[in-house]
Amino acid sequence: MTDQSNAALAKDTLLDIEQLCVVYRGLTRRPVQAVADVSFSIARGSTLALIGESGSGKSTIARAIAGLGPVESGSIRIDGMELTTARDRAAAAGAHGIQIVFQDPTSALNPRWPVWQSIVEPRLRERLDRATQRDIAADYLGRVGLNTRHMDRLPQQLSGGQRQRVTIARALVSRPKLIILDEAVSALDVSVRNEVLVLLDALKKSEQLTYLLISHDMSAVAQLATTVAVLYLGKLVELGPATRVIGQPAHPYSRALIDAVPALNRTARQELPHLGGEIGDPAQPPSGCRFHPRCPFVMDVCRRDEPLLQSHHGGDVACHRAIEINTASSNS
Ligand SMILES: Nc1ncnc2c1ncn2[C@@H]1O[C@H](COP(=O)(O)OP(=O)(O)O)[C@@H](O)[C@H]1O
Ligand SMILES: [Mg+2]
């Protein structure tokens, strides 16, 4: 690669995560390595979806990036700025344009504050007068599809969808570069969820945002993602363009996840047997490939050696048998 294309690549990268490890240490339990050597980057203006069963480490990665959870080792850079070494990591993440929206808007909003106050709160340091604050709140309410009628309501006077729109407005008001959506639409009813997804997609363009989307809802992922990263027990097992990972998942775990959603199995792949067993305990991960106890393609090498991420059809896959099983399934 030439220096010039390296520079172009670097300019295009907003968030860069290298060899991230997170370990939770308790007093009684053995240490839990919840995230192990995870690397990925997110291009400016794109949406990277992080998928994997509950317990795979998605929120741990989200909290590490936002400075709200521990980092054992590795690097998290936004626009080239290292965040893991900051004294106050949460403040550094905010100052460099990272915001996070969680699943539950109720706990994210002060129940005693009217909507306008929650929205402008991240900008109180600017010492704006009250009229200006209300103008800003009104502006951002409009951007998320609400209006001045909602300004003086309390969170409990809003529907779940409206509350989540308020937390999105609150995330937008500090003009972020990256918004982490950690199951941000998961608690909403299907029709409301679709409206909020459409809003998020529109905001991405109008506010020039980049998203890290965490969702167990594959249709949300298919709707928004540019890139998909599949996490299993703290390890990335597959990373690639969304259309390819969703259309032709190469790792047996990705296949099991995506084939479980009938609407996405468009190519009528031969279905894998339903994913049995449980994700397991990151405090005692299986030897070799962490997925091996549940994998229908398991062989001795999988129990013994950890597979590395390797290039595969425009992405990366960590599976000893990726080439073999994908050739076999495309022939069948
Ligand atoms: N504060 C914590 N202390 C100890 N273990 C934790 C803590 N938070 C999460 N874990 C463990 O780390 C693993 C990953 O959890 P999490 O990141 O919440 O996964 P996900 O968001 O994919 O469901 C799980 O095994 C979980 O039990
Ligand atoms: Mg989670």
Side-chain angles (χ1 to χ4, degrees), residues 24-26 29 32-35 52-61 63 70 182-183 214 231 233 280-283:
Y24 293 111
R25 298 173 202 284
R29 260 169 67 89
V32 177
Q33 186 167 28
V35 174
E53 282 162 292
S54 176
S56 56
K58 306 180 299 294
S59 295
T60 298
I61 292 176
R63 287 196 301 265
D182 188 355
E183 302 284 5
I214 294 174
L231 201 61
L233 213 48
D281 180 0

mmCIF file of all heavy atoms in Angstrom, residues 24-26 29 32-35 52-61 63 70 182-183 214 231 233 280-283, ligand 1:
data_model
loop_
_atom_site.group_PDB
_atom_site.id
_atom_site.type_symbol
_atom_site.label_atom_id
_atom_site.label_comp_id
_atom_site.label_asym_id
_atom_site.label_seq_id
_atom_site.Cartn_x
_atom_site.Cartn_y
_atom_site.Cartn_z
ATOM 1 N N TYR A 24 -13.017 -8.293 34.029
ATOM 2 C CA TYR A 24 -13.712 -7.899 35.257
ATOM 3 C C TYR A 24 -13.130 -8.709 36.405
ATOM 4 O O TYR A 24 -13.038 -9.934 36.324
ATOM 5 C CB TYR A 24 -15.207 -8.198 35.155
ATOM 6 C CG TYR A 24 -15.948 -7.350 34.139
ATOM 7 C CD1 TYR A 24 -16.450 -7.911 32.974
ATOM 8 C CD2 TYR A 24 -16.159 -5.992 34.359
ATOM 9 C CE1 TYR A 24 -17.153 -7.139 32.046
ATOM 10 C CE2 TYR A 24 -16.854 -5.215 33.436
ATOM 11 C CZ TYR A 24 -17.345 -5.802 32.285
ATOM 12 O OH TYR A 24 -18.027 -5.035 31.377
ATOM 13 N N ARG A 25 -12.726 -8.007 37.452
ATOM 14 C CA ARG A 25 -12.176 -8.704 38.612
ATOM 15 C C ARG A 25 -13.104 -8.516 39.796
ATOM 16 O O ARG A 25 -13.411 -7.396 40.168
ATOM 17 C CB ARG A 25 -10.803 -8.138 38.974
ATOM 18 C CG ARG A 25 -9.789 -8.314 37.873
ATOM 19 C CD ARG A 25 -8.496 -7.580 38.205
ATOM 20 N NE ARG A 25 -7.757 -7.316 36.975
ATOM 21 C CZ ARG A 25 -7.079 -8.231 36.320
ATOM 22 N NH1 ARG A 25 -6.996 -9.464 36.796
ATOM 23 N NH2 ARG A 25 -6.459 -7.935 35.195
ATOM 24 N N GLY A 26 -13.547 -9.624 40.348
ATOM 25 C CA GLY A 26 -14.362 -9.544 41.540
ATOM 26 C C GLY A 26 -13.561 -10.045 42.721
ATOM 27 O O GLY A 26 -12.439 -10.527 42.544
ATOM 28 N N ARG A 29 -14.998 -14.211 42.673
ATOM 29 C CA ARG A 29 -14.933 -15.009 41.458
ATOM 30 C C ARG A 29 -13.570 -14.910 40.807
ATOM 31 O O ARG A 29 -12.809 -14.013 41.076
ATOM 32 C CB ARG A 29 -15.970 -14.496 40.464
ATOM 33 C CG ARG A 29 -17.240 -15.309 40.405
ATOM 34 C CD ARG A 29 -18.281 -14.550 39.603
ATOM 35 N NE ARG A 29 -17.928 -14.418 38.186
ATOM 36 C CZ ARG A 29 -18.255 -15.312 37.257
ATOM 37 N NH1 ARG A 29 -18.912 -16.396 37.584
ATOM 38 N NH2 ARG A 29 -17.925 -15.134 35.992
ATOM 39 N N VAL A 32 -12.943 -12.397 34.914
ATOM 40 C CA VAL A 32 -13.734 -12.695 33.721
ATOM 41 C C VAL A 32 -13.150 -11.910 32.559
ATOM 42 O O VAL A 32 -13.185 -10.676 32.562
ATOM 43 C CB VAL A 32 -15.203 -12.251 33.929
ATOM 44 C CG1 VAL A 32 -16.024 -12.485 32.663
ATOM 45 C CG2 VAL A 32 -15.819 -12.971 35.108
ATOM 46 N N GLN A 33 -12.585 -12.610 31.588
ATOM 47 C CA GLN A 33 -12.110 -11.896 30.408
ATOM 48 C C GLN A 33 -13.281 -11.753 29.440
ATOM 49 O O GLN A 33 -13.570 -12.634 28.630
ATOM 50 C CB GLN A 33 -10.934 -12.613 29.739
ATOM 51 C CG GLN A 33 -10.396 -11.735 28.612
ATOM 52 C CD GLN A 33 -9.064 -12.154 28.062
ATOM 53 O OE1 GLN A 33 -8.704 -13.323 28.089
ATOM 54 N NE2 GLN A 33 -8.321 -11.188 27.522
ATOM 55 N N ALA A 34 -13.973 -10.625 29.562
ATOM 56 C CA ALA A 34 -15.209 -10.426 28.801
ATOM 57 C C ALA A 34 -14.951 -10.023 27.361
ATOM 58 O O ALA A 34 -15.778 -10.264 26.488
ATOM 59 C CB ALA A 34 -16.070 -9.369 29.488
ATOM 60 N N VAL A 35 -13.790 -9.399 27.107
ATOM 61 C CA VAL A 35 -13.411 -9.013 25.744
ATOM 62 C C VAL A 35 -11.943 -9.373 25.561
ATOM 63 O O VAL A 35 -11.106 -9.009 26.385
ATOM 64 C CB VAL A 35 -13.637 -7.497 25.508
ATOM 65 C CG1 VAL A 35 -13.113 -7.077 24.143
ATOM 66 C CG2 VAL A 35 -15.114 -7.146 25.637
ATOM 67 N N GLY A 52 -24.122 -10.625 18.454
ATOM 68 C CA GLY A 52 -23.703 -11.787 19.236
ATOM 69 C C GLY A 52 -24.700 -11.971 20.365
ATOM 70 O O GLY A 52 -25.350 -11.010 20.781
ATOM 71 N N GLU A 53 -24.791 -13.195 20.858
ATOM 72 C CA GLU A 53 -25.752 -13.479 21.921
ATOM 73 C C GLU A 53 -25.479 -12.642 23.166
ATOM 74 O O GLU A 53 -24.380 -12.129 23.356
ATOM 75 C CB GLU A 53 -25.640 -14.950 22.338
ATOM 76 C CG GLU A 53 -26.288 -15.924 21.406
ATOM 77 C CD GLU A 53 -25.723 -17.308 21.681
ATOM 78 O OE1 GLU A 53 -24.536 -17.525 21.398
ATOM 79 O OE2 GLU A 53 -26.463 -18.156 22.182
ATOM 80 N N SER A 54 -26.470 -12.618 24.024
ATOM 81 C CA SER A 54 -26.308 -11.978 25.315
ATOM 82 C C SER A 54 -25.113 -12.604 26.043
ATOM 83 O O SER A 54 -24.962 -13.827 26.057
ATOM 84 C CB SER A 54 -27.602 -12.193 26.101
ATOM 85 O OG SER A 54 -27.447 -11.671 27.376
ATOM 86 N N GLY A 55 -24.255 -11.775 26.600
ATOM 87 C CA GLY A 55 -23.077 -12.278 27.303
ATOM 88 C C GLY A 55 -21.836 -12.359 26.430
ATOM 89 O O GLY A 55 -20.769 -12.749 26.892
ATOM 90 N N SER A 56 -21.950 -11.945 25.157
ATOM 91 C CA SER A 56 -20.782 -12.068 24.278
ATOM 92 C C SER A 56 -19.794 -10.924 24.469
ATOM 93 O O SER A 56 -18.656 -11.010 23.997
ATOM 94 C CB SER A 56 -21.220 -12.177 22.816
ATOM 95 O OG SER A 56 -22.009 -11.092 22.440
ATOM 96 N N GLY A 57 -20.199 -9.846 25.148
ATOM 97 C CA GLY A 57 -19.246 -8.761 25.437
ATOM 98 C C GLY A 57 -19.552 -7.455 24.707
ATOM 99 O O GLY A 57 -18.746 -6.529 24.739
ATOM 100 N N LYS A 58 -20.714 -7.362 24.083
ATOM 101 C CA LYS A 58 -21.043 -6.170 23.284
ATOM 102 C C LYS A 58 -21.095 -4.905 24.145
ATOM 103 O O LYS A 58 -20.477 -3.901 23.821
ATOM 104 C CB LYS A 58 -22.403 -6.363 22.573
ATOM 105 C CG LYS A 58 -22.474 -7.631 21.738
ATOM 106 C CD LYS A 58 -23.829 -7.793 21.060
ATOM 107 C CE LYS A 58 -25.028 -7.898 21.993
ATOM 108 N NZ LYS A 58 -25.038 -9.126 22.834
ATOM 109 N N SER A 59 -21.854 -4.970 25.252
ATOM 110 C CA SER A 59 -21.966 -3.778 26.103
ATOM 111 C C SER A 59 -20.637 -3.450 26.772
ATOM 112 O O SER A 59 -20.344 -2.284 27.043
ATOM 113 C CB SER A 59 -23.030 -3.984 27.183
ATOM 114 O OG SER A 59 -24.296 -4.108 26.592
ATOM 115 N N THR A 60 -19.843 -4.470 27.034
ATOM 116 C CA THR A 60 -18.524 -4.234 27.630
ATOM 117 C C THR A 60 -17.666 -3.400 26.681
ATOM 118 O O THR A 60 -16.977 -2.459 27.111
ATOM 119 C CB THR A 60 -17.851 -5.584 27.949
ATOM 120 O OG1 THR A 60 -18.666 -6.273 28.907
ATOM 121 C CG2 THR A 60 -16.454 -5.389 28.511
ATOM 122 N N ILE A 61 -17.728 -3.707 25.393
ATOM 123 C CA ILE A 61 -16.991 -2.923 24.396
ATOM 124 C C ILE A 61 -17.567 -1.505 24.342
ATOM 125 O O ILE A 61 -16.822 -0.520 24.335
ATOM 126 C CB ILE A 61 -17.057 -3.607 23.008
ATOM 127 C CG1 ILE A 61 -16.264 -4.920 23.040
ATOM 128 C CG2 ILE A 61 -16.534 -2.680 21.914
ATOM 129 C CD1 ILE A 61 -16.339 -5.734 21.753
ATOM 130 N N ARG A 63 -19.139 0.188 26.653
ATOM 131 C CA ARG A 63 -18.779 0.962 27.855
ATOM 132 C C ARG A 63 -17.297 1.331 27.874
ATOM 133 O O ARG A 63 -16.923 2.404 28.333
ATOM 134 C CB ARG A 63 -19.164 0.198 29.118
ATOM 135 C CG ARG A 63 -20.682 0.165 29.367
ATOM 136 C CD ARG A 63 -21.002 -0.242 30.801
ATOM 137 N NE ARG A 63 -20.467 -1.560 31.113
ATOM 138 C CZ ARG A 63 -21.161 -2.695 31.024
ATOM 139 N NH1 ARG A 63 -22.422 -2.674 30.667
ATOM 140 N NH2 ARG A 63 -20.579 -3.849 31.299
ATOM 141 N N PRO A 70 -14.252 -0.692 32.392
ATOM 142 C CA PRO A 70 -12.803 -0.879 32.427
ATOM 143 C C PRO A 70 -12.182 -1.263 31.078
ATOM 144 O O PRO A 70 -12.865 -1.779 30.201
ATOM 145 C CB PRO A 70 -12.639 -2.037 33.423
ATOM 146 C CG PRO A 70 -13.936 -2.776 33.390
ATOM 147 C CD PRO A 70 -14.986 -1.753 33.101
ATOM 148 N N ASP A 182 -26.624 1.145 22.155
ATOM 149 C CA ASP A 182 -26.562 -0.171 22.804
ATOM 150 C C ASP A 182 -27.983 -0.670 23.048
ATOM 151 O O ASP A 182 -28.597 -0.325 24.055
ATOM 152 C CB ASP A 182 -25.759 -0.109 24.104
ATOM 153 C CG ASP A 182 -25.508 -1.509 24.685
ATOM 154 O OD1 ASP A 182 -26.039 -2.503 24.123
ATOM 155 O OD2 ASP A 182 -24.786 -1.620 25.693
ATOM 156 N N GLU A 183 -28.496 -1.441 22.115
ATOM 157 C CA GLU A 183 -29.874 -1.963 22.164
ATOM 158 C C GLU A 183 -30.873 -0.805 22.299
ATOM 159 O O GLU A 183 -31.909 -0.936 22.953
ATOM 160 C CB GLU A 183 -30.055 -2.971 23.318
ATOM 161 C CG GLU A 183 -29.122 -4.177 23.273
ATOM 162 C CD GLU A 183 -29.517 -5.242 22.231
ATOM 163 O OE1 GLU A 183 -30.467 -5.029 21.448
ATOM 164 O OE2 GLU A 183 -28.847 -6.287 22.206
ATOM 165 N N ILE A 214 -25.455 -1.717 18.411
ATOM 166 C CA ILE A 214 -25.506 -3.004 19.098
ATOM 167 C C ILE A 214 -26.962 -3.409 19.166
ATOM 168 O O ILE A 214 -27.787 -2.671 19.706
ATOM 169 C CB ILE A 214 -24.909 -2.883 20.511
ATOM 170 C CG1 ILE A 214 -23.419 -2.573 20.396
ATOM 171 C CG2 ILE A 214 -25.153 -4.160 21.306
ATOM 172 C CD1 ILE A 214 -22.755 -2.301 21.722
ATOM 173 N N LEU A 231 -19.464 -11.225 17.466
ATOM 174 C CA LEU A 231 -18.693 -11.475 18.678
ATOM 175 C C LEU A 231 -19.191 -12.759 19.319
ATOM 176 O O LEU A 231 -20.390 -12.978 19.423
ATOM 177 C CB LEU A 231 -18.952 -10.288 19.608
ATOM 178 C CG LEU A 231 -17.993 -9.966 20.731
ATOM 179 C CD1 LEU A 231 -16.612 -9.653 20.190
ATOM 180 C CD2 LEU A 231 -18.529 -8.769 21.525
ATOM 181 N N LEU A 233 -18.345 -14.908 22.873
ATOM 182 C CA LEU A 233 -17.612 -15.074 24.125
ATOM 183 C C LEU A 233 -16.344 -14.202 24.158
ATOM 184 O O LEU A 233 -15.256 -14.671 24.464
ATOM 185 C CB LEU A 233 -17.256 -16.556 24.301
ATOM 186 C CG LEU A 233 -17.221 -17.135 25.723
ATOM 187 C CD1 LEU A 233 -18.443 -16.763 26.531
ATOM 188 C CD2 LEU A 233 -17.072 -18.648 25.670
ATOM 189 N N GLY A 280 -21.753 -20.036 27.504
ATOM 190 C CA GLY A 280 -20.627 -20.408 28.348
ATOM 191 C C GLY A 280 -20.131 -19.247 29.181
ATOM 192 O O GLY A 280 -20.655 -18.147 29.116
ATOM 193 N N ASP A 281 -19.107 -19.505 29.946
ATOM 194 C CA ASP A 281 -18.633 -18.580 30.950
ATOM 195 C C ASP A 281 -17.266 -18.021 30.531
ATOM 196 O O ASP A 281 -16.309 -18.776 30.403
ATOM 197 C CB ASP A 281 -18.521 -19.344 32.282
ATOM 198 C CG ASP A 281 -18.037 -18.460 33.416
ATOM 199 O OD1 ASP A 281 -17.795 -17.253 33.175
ATOM 200 O OD2 ASP A 281 -17.894 -18.981 34.532
ATOM 201 N N PRO A 282 -17.187 -16.694 30.311
ATOM 202 C CA PRO A 282 -15.898 -16.137 29.894
ATOM 203 C C PRO A 282 -14.806 -16.276 30.963
ATOM 204 O O PRO A 282 -13.630 -16.062 30.667
ATOM 205 C CB PRO A 282 -16.211 -14.670 29.599
ATOM 206 C CG PRO A 282 -17.517 -14.378 30.215
ATOM 207 C CD PRO A 282 -18.248 -15.672 30.377
ATOM 208 N N ALA A 283 -15.192 -16.632 32.180
ATOM 209 C CA ALA A 283 -14.171 -16.872 33.204
ATOM 210 C C ALA A 283 -13.453 -18.197 32.932
ATOM 211 O O ALA A 283 -12.320 -18.408 33.372
ATOM 212 C CB ALA A 283 -14.800 -16.891 34.595
HETATM 213 N N1 LIG B 1 -19.543 -5.481 35.919
HETATM 214 C C1 LIG B 1 -19.315 -6.754 35.610
HETATM 215 N N2 LIG B 1 -18.650 -7.570 36.473
HETATM 216 C C2 LIG B 1 -18.384 -8.856 36.171
HETATM 217 N N3 LIG B 1 -18.743 -9.441 35.009
HETATM 218 C C3 LIG B 1 -19.406 -8.695 34.120
HETATM 219 C C4 LIG B 1 -19.740 -7.327 34.371
HETATM 220 N N4 LIG B 1 -20.406 -6.829 33.289
HETATM 221 C C5 LIG B 1 -20.492 -7.852 32.405
HETATM 222 N N5 LIG B 1 -19.888 -8.972 32.909
HETATM 223 C C6 LIG B 1 -19.757 -10.267 32.219
HETATM 224 O O1 LIG B 1 -19.067 -10.034 30.997
HETATM 225 C C7 LIG B 1 -19.620 -10.803 29.950
HETATM 226 C C8 LIG B 1 -20.070 -9.891 28.822
HETATM 227 O O2 LIG B 1 -21.161 -9.122 29.263
HETATM 228 P P1 LIG B 1 -21.797 -7.954 28.362
HETATM 229 O O3 LIG B 1 -20.724 -7.097 27.828
HETATM 230 O O4 LIG B 1 -22.870 -7.320 29.156
HETATM 231 O O5 LIG B 1 -22.421 -8.795 27.144
HETATM 232 P P2 LIG B 1 -23.569 -8.420 26.098
HETATM 233 O O6 LIG B 1 -23.751 -6.944 26.107
HETATM 234 O O7 LIG B 1 -23.047 -8.951 24.791
HETATM 235 O O8 LIG B 1 -24.780 -9.166 26.530
HETATM 236 C C9 LIG B 1 -20.738 -11.618 30.573
HETATM 237 O O9 LIG B 1 -20.238 -12.897 30.910
HETATM 238 C C10 LIG B 1 -21.101 -10.842 31.802
HETATM 239 O O10 LIG B 1 -21.607 -11.673 32.809
#
